[in-house]
Amino acid sequence: DRHGVSFTHHEMQRAIKMGRKRWFLVQQEVITARSLFRAMSSTAKNLRKWVETKDALKSNPYLDSLRILDMYDQAVRDGIEHLENRKGNWVQPFRNDDEALLYIQSQLGRPQMIFPEYFMNARQK
């Protein structure tokens, strides 16, 4: 719903909790917005509350809710694990459809490498 956690967000949280392999694409503008919001939040107290109560992002094509930043932070495990300990949190920024497609093809184009347990032949089982 408008003020709660989305179905997609719940799905992502559950995958993280279960330790599932996961891949995310994120528009580069979301990462930029996150950096700007963090910088502004450090000087403007209650900025998040103001943005949410004024519905200030409703017409923004890239970031219509601050919950998107929350999802991004959870997907990259920000503040939860040190960078060198993060595993299974592939979050790839993209600027256009061609970049997104390249990432999808390179990461998911060979499912037998990602999920070998589903591609074992009968003699190996």
Side-chain angles (χ1 to χ4, degrees):
D1 67 55
R2 182 181 151 117
H3 299 289
V5 177
S6 71
F7 180 83
T8 303
H9 198 158
H10 278 293
E11 191 174 37
M12 181 194 73
Q13 289 173 329
R14 182 159 179 161
I16 290 169
K17 185 177 181 179
M18 295 175 70
R20 299 283 188 184
K21 295 176 185 177
R22 53 203 181 272
W23 295 262
F24 298 97
L25 287 169
V26 63
Q27 290 177 306
Q28 182 63 46
E29 292 83 359
V30 170
I31 297 171
T32 302
R34 175 180 177 250
S35 296
L36 289 171
F37 186 76
R38 282 185 166 191
M40 291 171 59
S41 294
S42 67
T43 59
K45 301 296 181 212
N46 300 319
L47 178 62
R48 183 182 185 105
K49 186 175 180 180
W50 182 86
V51 167
E52 290 173 343
T53 57
K54 298 292 183 187
D55 217 6
L57 301 173
K58 67 181 175 188
S59 62
N60 187 305
Y62 302 107
L63 186 70
D64 62 357
S65 170
L66 293 177
R67 292 177 290 162
I68 293 170
L69 301 182
D70 298 339
M71 285 182 67
Y72 178 82
D73 285 341
Q74 287 180 345
V76 298
R77 313 291 288 152
D78 186 54
I80 298 170
E81 299 172 357
H82 291 288
L83 184 58
E84 63 273 4
N85 296 331
R86 297 179 193 174
K87 294 181 176 40
N89 60 321
W90 295 99
V91 181
Q92 179 67 35
F94 70 97
R95 288 182 179 81
N96 56 51
D97 293 345
D98 290 337
E99 283 186 8
L101 185 58
L102 179 64
Y103 173 74
I104 291 167
Q105 289 172 335
S106 65
Q107 292 296 315
L108 305 175
R110 294 172 296 189
Q112 64 275 17
M113 304 260 322
I114 301 167
F115 304 104
E117 62 274 20
Y118 297 111
F119 291 90
M120 296 170 61
N121 66 36
R123 288 183 295 204
Q124 292 174 314
K125 289 185 179 182

